[in-house]
Amino acid sequence: GETVTEQDSLAAFTDAMLLALPVALILCALLASAFMRSVKYGLAAVAPILLVVGWVYGFMYLVDYKINVVTATIAAIAVGVGIDYSTHFTMRFREEFEDEPSRFPALRRAGEGTGGALAISALSSVIGFTVMAFAPMPIFVTFGVLTAVMIVFSLLVALLVLPSILLVVTRSRTGAERQHLLDLTGIAPGEYDPHSRKTALQHHEPVG
């Protein structure tokens, strides 16, 4: 009967969700690694998205959303949306770190340089999907709310979680390499404070 058909359909969607999520993560990791020409940065960009997926389903549990045709696909969509923010931030950090003696000023400039743009992009998307919360059909309401929440979570992990991961996977400058880059900046070693905002603002192009 209809009840059995609905249960079978739901089981099929759940199975598809369980398959789509790891496939989406693997494909995103491969593409990000190829695009950035680095496996470690590709994995670093994908890792925070696991938090997004977990938070989205945690939100679903709190508001009592059930698994259905719409919610079964939200995890794969979260991967596709989250990788955009993570890749953008990671690429900016690597560009800033190329001629910087320390990771911290480069990370600060990456956050200040791209954080606003990512936030505005996320805000515009959130507003668009939040409008769906006023739709007369519950299925569109659910999709709009979950997508908006997922975009907010993606932005948060890109700005708050990803920087810590980038610090872990990025090798710090040491020895002659660090001294050489210090010489190129024109900043005296005793005046170079990697944790200060002033140091990040004093970024200069290489002079040699």
Side-chain angles (χ1 to χ4, degrees):
E2 183 177 352
T3 302
V4 175
T5 302
E6 291 179 354
Q7 291 178 346
D8 290 343
S9 299
L10 180 59
F13 279 117
T14 303
D15 292 340
M17 176 191 67
L18 295 176
L19 177 63
L21 179 58
V23 170
L25 287 171
I26 292 173
L27 289 178
C28 283
L30 291 175
L31 290 174
S33 299
F35 181 74
M36 292 186 283
R37 298 180 181 179
S38 172
V39 174
K40 68 177 182 180
Y41 284 115
L43 294 177
V46 172
I49 301 176
L50 295 173
L51 277 178
V52 177
V53 175
W55 290 352
V56 167
Y57 281 108
F59 175 81
M60 286 175 54
Y61 174 80
L62 291 177
V63 298
D64 199 28
Y65 280 172
K66 306 299 182 183
I67 298 293
N68 54 40
V69 177
V70 173
T71 59
T73 61
I74 199 68
I77 297 175
V79 175
V81 173
I83 193 64
D84 290 340
Y85 296 118
S86 295
T87 302
H88 190 94
F89 190 97
T90 302
M91 289 295 294
R92 179 60 182 269
F93 166 72
R94 294 183 67 187
E95 291 174 358
E96 296 288 354
F97 187 57
E98 285 182 0
D99 304 306
E100 185 65 48
S102 174
R103 299 164 294 176
F104 297 99
L107 194 63
R108 181 187 289 271
R109 285 196 300 273
E112 294 182 350
T114 64
L118 293 180
I120 293 174
S121 174
L123 178 62
S124 62
S125 299
V126 167
I127 292 174
F129 282 104
T130 301
V131 172
M132 296 180 65
F134 301 97
M137 297 182 63
I139 191 171
F140 289 125
V141 173
T142 301
F143 181 77
V145 171
L146 283 181
T147 304
V149 169
M150 176 262 295
I151 292 172
V152 172
F153 287 162
S154 298
L155 176 67
L156 290 177
V157 299
L159 297 181
L160 301 179
V161 179
L162 179 60
S164 298
I165 297 177
L166 292 176
L167 285 179
V168 171
V169 302
T170 303
R171 180 179 61 85
S172 60
R173 311 285 196 192
T174 58
E177 179 187 25
R178 178 181 174 85
Q179 185 59 50
H180 173 67
L181 291 174
L182 276 173
D183 294 339
L184 292 180
T185 63
I187 304 175
E191 299 177 357
Y192 185 84
D193 181 6
H195 300 286
S196 71
R197 178 179 175 82
K198 181 180 178 181
T199 300
L201 295 176
Q202 289 178 338
H203 176 64
H204 301 287
E205 296 296 329
V207 296

